[in-house]
Amino acid sequence: MSKRQMAVALALLALGACSSARDGETNLRNLNTYRGSPEEFGIVPNKPLADPPSFSQLPAPTTGTGNRADVTPLADAVAALGGDPSRLAERGIPTSDAALVAAAGRNGVDGSIRQDLAAADAAFRRRASIFNWKLVPDNEYNRAYRRQSLDAQDWLARVRQPGTNIRTPSAPPPRN
């Protein structure tokens, strides 16, 4: 191997080592748009502080719950339009979906499915990013997951064929 080839190989190795991934994590999306100035739409003022009716009857702090001064734009909008913001709270599975949940879990439920899928996806991203370096960072998410995506128009054409008894009342417009 000549000195020139060795220099090129070392330069490529050095460029390959310049990675922004942490702890074996492979990030396929490059969404970093920080340009040194604050994001004007990311700055949201808190609600004004207010004294409670009684300082002796304050509830004990609970980890993971919200603060009374935290901004709740969706609940505030519902209240401003005359609705009940408490109906936005998560209440678990509605009774109307109980039969669907029972049918989905009829063969058992794997309690570690999220961890298994996260590990499998991390391994997939590592494999997809082996020869995926560029001088200019780019969003590689759609290219990496291209084989796992569905073409909506193709499936719409398949289910609308004569002989299929699948109702399709509406569909998204085709992309140009």
Side-chain angles (χ1 to χ4, degrees):
M1 185 179 263
S2 71
K3 289 182 180 181
R4 185 177 186 161
Q5 290 173 334
M6 185 66 100
V8 169
L10 285 174
L12 289 175
L13 183 64
L15 282 175
C18 298
S19 173
S20 63
R22 290 179 237 108
D23 300 329
E25 173 186 315
T26 305
N27 188 2
L28 296 174
R29 288 203 187 265
N30 181 18
L31 302 176
N32 185 6
T33 59
Y34 179 69
R35 292 183 175 83
S37 60
E39 172 63 40
E40 60 271 15
F41 296 107
I43 300 170
V44 179
N46 286 343
K47 292 180 181 177
L49 294 176
D51 288 337
S54 169
F55 284 100
S56 62
Q57 295 179 354
L58 286 175
T62 308
T63 306
T65 60
N67 188 341
R68 294 183 339 164
D70 288 345
V71 178
T72 54
L74 187 59
D76 294 344
V78 168
L81 294 172
D84 182 10
S86 66
R87 296 192 63 184
L88 296 173
E90 183 66 34
R91 293 189 175 100
I93 300 169
T95 56
S96 60
D97 292 340
L100 175 65
V101 172
R106 67 187 174 278
N107 294 326
V109 178
D110 184 5
S112 64
I113 187 68
R114 290 181 188 268
Q115 294 83 6
D116 295 345
L117 288 176
D121 191 54
F124 171 77
R125 287 194 315 261
R126 274 193 299 278
R127 286 192 312 272
S129 68
I130 289 176
F131 298 106
N132 196 26
W133 61 274
K134 293 182 179 181
L135 291 177
V136 178
D138 193 13
N139 187 346
E140 298 292 328
Y141 182 86
N142 292 331
R143 191 176 69 73
Y145 288 99
R146 177 179 48 226
R147 291 185 184 152
Q148 297 179 12
S149 65
L150 296 175
D151 181 10
Q153 296 300 320
D154 178 49
W155 278 99
L156 179 64
R158 287 183 187 191
V159 299
R160 283 189 171 171
Q161 289 179 355
T164 59
N165 294 324
I166 301 172
R167 295 178 59 195
T168 55
S170 65
R175 283 193 273 169
N176 294 333

